[in-house]
Amino acid sequence: MHYVSTRAAKATASQAPQQFSDILLGGLAPDGGLYLPAEYPQVSGAELDAWRKLSYADLAFEILKKFATDIPEADLKKLTKKTYTADVYRNVRKGEKSADITPLRILEQQGDKTLILQALSNGPTLAFKDMAMQLLGNLFEYTLAKDGAELNIFGATSGDTGSAAEYAMRGKKGIRVFMLSPHKKMSAFQSAQMFSLQDPNIFNIAVEGVFDDCQDLVKAVSNDLPFKARQKIGTVNSINWARVVAQVVYYFRGYLAATTENTQKVSFTVPSGNFGNICAGHIARMMGLPIDRLVAATNENDVLDEFFRTGVYRVRKSAETYHTSSPSMDISKASNFERFIYDLVGRDAERVRALFHKVDTEGGFDLSGKPGSDGDEFKLVSNYGFSSGKSTHKDRLDTIRDVADDFDITIDTHTADGIKVARQYMAPGVPMIVLETALAAKFNETILDALGVDAERPPGFDDIESLPQKFVVLPADVAQMQAYIAANTGL
C-alpha cells in the first residue's frame, strides 16, 4: 500500500508514493497536502462475514493490515492486541472491565426507523479520541524503538485530542508532546485533564486565541521543513493518517454489530468540526462498507453544514468563530476536509492545490456551479452519501433533557448535537448510528444547566479540577512557538 499527497505534482520525484511507516510520524506532506492511499483497499462480502465473529482487536488488525503493509503482520497483531484490551477500554460509567470496546445501544425505535448510540468513550480520557490515540502511541513507540529515534509531537486541540494524545504518549520512550489549546476556551474538566499531567515529557501551551489559531500554528511549524527536521517534529492531530485509519475500525464494528447480513445498510451521524472522524467514515464507505448516509452534525460553527447544503466552503476568521457549549467543535477551518475534496474532484492534485490556495488567500471556494463559482463538483456530493445539519445551544439542552428523560442516559453536548441532527435523517429500514463523542462529565457546566444536577463522574475523576496544573500561556506567534519548542528539546 502506497500513499500520495492530495497536492502532489505528478512530475515531482521528491513526492514519490510513500509507505505507511514513512508517513506515520508526520502530518502534512512536504508540499502542504495530506496523505491518502493511492487507492482504497476493498473489502469483500466474505471478509465482512468472517469479521462478524472477531474481537475488536482482531478486527482492527484485519483492517489495518490493508493499510500498513510494510509492518510485519505478527508485529501489527501484537500492537492491536496490546491496544484494544478490557484494561484500557473499560465500561467507564461503571468502572468495570468490558470486552465490548464500542457497544451499541438502541435509543429509539419508531416503526422501522431505529436510532442507535455507539459508545466510543470507554478509553482513559473518556472521549472517542482514545480509540485512535492509544494505538498511535503504541505505533510511535514501536517505530521509534526500531531506529533508536526521538520524536517531538506538536499538536493542537479544541479539547479532547490533547488529553487523549498526552495520556497515550506519557512515559513513552523518546517522545515529547507539545500540545496547543485555546486559552480559557475548553471546559474546566478538559483543561484539568490536560494541565494536571506532571510528566516531564508533556508540555501544555495555552494559546491566546481560538482553536483555528492553534491549528494554523501547527501547520506553519510543519511547513517550516528545516525546523521540522531539526526538531524532529511529528503530529497526532487528525491530519495524521494513522489516526484517521484507526478510526475506520469502529465504523466497521458499528455496522457489523447493527446488522445480520451484508445486504443491509446503515447510516452514521457524526458530530463534526475538523472532519477527521467523519472522514474515517468516508474511507470505510469507499472500501465497500454498506453505508447509506454519512451525516455531519455541526454546532453554531457551521462551515461544514454550509458546504453540504450549498457547495460553498467558507472558513471563518477567529473573531467569527463562536465559543459554544460543544467547544470541541468550535472550529471554522476543517483540516481533514481536503481529503474528501481530493476524492470529490477526481483526485486532481493540481485542482486541490488551487482550491486550498484560495482558502488561504480568499477564505474559501465555491463548487456550487453557479455563475462565478470555482466549479460544479457539488452535484457529485450525493454520490458519496453526505448530508448535514446544525444544532444550537437550545437544541443541545433540549436533546440532553429528552435523552435523560426517555432513556435514563446523560449524554455530552457534542453527542447531543449528533442526536438532534440524526433525527432529521432517520429512514425506514436503515438503522441510524450516532457516534458518541465523550462522556457528559467532561462538560458538566452545560449538563448542570440542562438537568439541574451534576453529571455522574466515573471512578477516579472525582476531583480532577483541584489537582495542580502545569502549562504556559503564549501568543499565537510562530517564532515564539518555535523558540519554546527549541528551548525544551535541546535540539
Side-chain angles (χ1 to χ4, degrees):
M1 169 64 68
H2 287 99
Y3 293 86
V4 295
S5 168
T6 53
R7 303 188 190 185
K10 292 175 183 174
T12 306
S14 63
Q15 296 176 3
Q18 306 288 300
Q19 294 196 82
F20 183 85
S21 296
D22 297 327
I23 65 171
L24 171 64
L25 302 179
L28 294 174
D31 55 26
L34 301 178
Y35 287 111
L36 274 174
E39 57 184 25
Y40 294 113
Q42 296 302 294
V43 173
S44 68
E47 285 178 306
L48 286 178
D49 287 335
W51 292 355
R52 291 182 183 276
K53 307 178 184 71
L54 298 181
S55 68
Y56 194 94
D58 287 339
L59 176 63
F61 165 70
E62 292 294 335
I63 292 170
L64 288 166
K65 76 178 184 180
K66 292 178 177 290
F67 293 94
T69 54
D70 58 328
I71 296 179
E73 289 192 4
D75 291 354
L76 188 60
K77 193 157 195 171
K78 285 179 184 176
L79 288 167
T80 59
K81 289 280 192 185
K82 178 181 178 181
T83 301
Y84 298 110
T85 71
D87 287 319
V88 175
Y89 296 92
R90 306 167 69 87
N91 185 330
V92 289
R93 287 187 173 89
K94 298 180 180 178
E96 300 171 352
K97 296 181 182 181
S98 173
D100 196 352
I101 306 291
T102 61
L104 303 188
R105 175 166 177 170
I106 295 176
L107 291 187
E108 295 177 8
Q109 195 115 40
Q110 303 171 9
D112 55 357
K113 295 181 180 180
T114 308
L115 183 66
I116 298 171
L117 185 65
Q118 185 172 6
L120 299 179
S121 300
N122 291 331
T125 70
L126 318 181
F128 82 94
K129 305 290 177 76
D130 290 322
M131 295 304 303
M133 206 67 77
Q134 286 291 312
L135 178 66
L136 204 62
N138 289 329
L139 280 168
F140 278 8
E141 188 174 49
Y142 165 82
T143 302
L144 292 169
K146 283 173 62 178
D147 301 326
E150 294 184 20
L151 181 69
N152 293 310
I153 292 169
F154 186 49
T157 184
S158 55
D160 293 328
T161 292
S163 55
E166 291 177 358
Y167 276 71
M169 306 296 169
R170 61 189 306 197
K172 297 287 187 189
K173 187 176 180 181
I175 297 177
R176 301 181 191 87
V177 179
F178 295 85
M179 187 59 61
L180 309 184
S181 60
H183 189 37
K184 297 183 178 179
K185 301 265 189 325
M186 300 187 294
S187 74
F189 189 106
Q190 287 176 309
S191 297
Q193 208 171 23
M194 289 175 56
F195 298 167
S196 63
L197 291 181
Q198 304 296 318
D199 303 71
N201 71 325
I202 302 297
F203 300 87
N204 279 301
I205 307 161
V207 173
E208 295 171 327
V210 299
F211 171 74
D212 291 305
D213 296 312
C214 301
Q215 189 162 253
D216 287 344
L217 285 166
V218 172
K219 288 187 174 182
V221 170
S222 295
N223 280 324
D224 184 341
L225 300 184
F227 181 84
K228 181 179 180 181
R230 185 169 63 254
Q231 295 296 330
K232 301 183 172 77
I233 299 290
T235 184
V236 292
N237 272 54
S238 57
I239 56 175
N240 181 294
W241 168 251
R243 251 194 71 186
V244 176
V245 75
Q247 292 174 297
V248 170
V249 178
Y250 52 70
Y251 282 91
F252 278 85
R253 184 64 157 192
Y255 172 82
L256 295 170
T259 62
T260 56
E261 57 184 47
N262 303 334
T263 57
Q264 297 169 284
K265 286 192 171 186
V266 304
S267 293
F268 288 91
T269 296
V270 188
S272 299
N274 217 15
F275 205 75
N277 199 4
I278 200 167
C279 184
H282 165 65
I283 291 158
R285 193 175 187 274
M286 296 295 284
M287 292 172 68
L289 190 66
I291 295 175
D292 184 30
R293 284 182 185 265
L294 287 166
V295 183
T298 75
N299 63 13
E300 293 88 339
N301 297 296
D302 58 352
V303 61
L304 293 172
D305 180 44
E306 182 178 33
F307 175 81
F308 286 115
R309 285 186 296 102
T310 69
V312 176
Y313 180 62
R314 180 176 60 88
V315 302
R316 282 37 159 189
K317 297 176 181 176
S318 296
E320 300 172 304
T321 302
Y322 298 104
H323 178 42
T324 76
S325 51
S326 50
S328 297
M329 303 194 316
D330 291 348
I331 298 168
S332 293
K333 186 186 293 183
S335 277
N336 275 282
F337 192 54
E338 183 169 332
R339 287 186 162 115
F340 170 63
I341 293 297
Y342 181 66
D343 285 335
L344 183 67
V345 300
R347 298 200 146 207
D348 183 341
E350 298 276 359
R351 179 129 170 78
V352 169
R353 193 183 310 112
L355 288 173
F356 283 88
H357 176 71
K358 193 162 187 179
V359 171
D360 293 336
T361 57
E362 299 179 31
F365 53 76
D366 180 355
L367 301 183
S368 67
K370 295 178 181 177
S373 67
D374 302 299
D376 64 353
E377 288 91 349
F378 181 61
K379 66 180 183 295
L380 302 176
V381 166
S382 61
N383 296 342
Y384 296 88
F386 278 99
S387 301
S388 68
K390 173 182 174 180
S391 176
T392 66
H393 179 68
K394 181 181 183 303
D395 294 326
R396 283 188 280 284
L397 296 181
D398 290 344
T399 304
I400 289 168
R401 292 182 189 117
D402 287 348
V403 172
D405 290 344
D406 295 344
F407 312 111
D408 196 28
I409 301 175
T410 305
I411 56 171
D412 84 286
T413 52
H414 310 77
T415 304
D417 289 334
I419 290 173
K420 184 267 179 184
V421 173
R423 285 169 166 161
Q424 302 170 31
Y425 290 100
M426 293 172 64
V430 182
M432 173 63 79
I433 301 174
V434 177
L435 298 188
E436 181 191 49
T437 302
L439 289 197
K442 300 192 78 166
F443 306 95
N444 189 59
E445 298 91 336
T446 307
I447 301 304
L448 189 58
D449 189 13
L451 302 179
V453 295
D454 289 324
E456 183 180 356
R457 293 206 170 186
F461 292 91
D462 297 334
D463 203 23
I464 193 171
E465 290 92 343
S466 68
L467 295 174
Q469 297 188 6
K470 183 184 74 170
F471 66 99
V472 298
V473 180
L474 292 178
D477 180 83
V478 174
Q480 290 194 48
M481 200 61 61
Q482 289 179 319
Y484 181 81
I485 292 170
N488 285 283
T489 62
L491 298 175

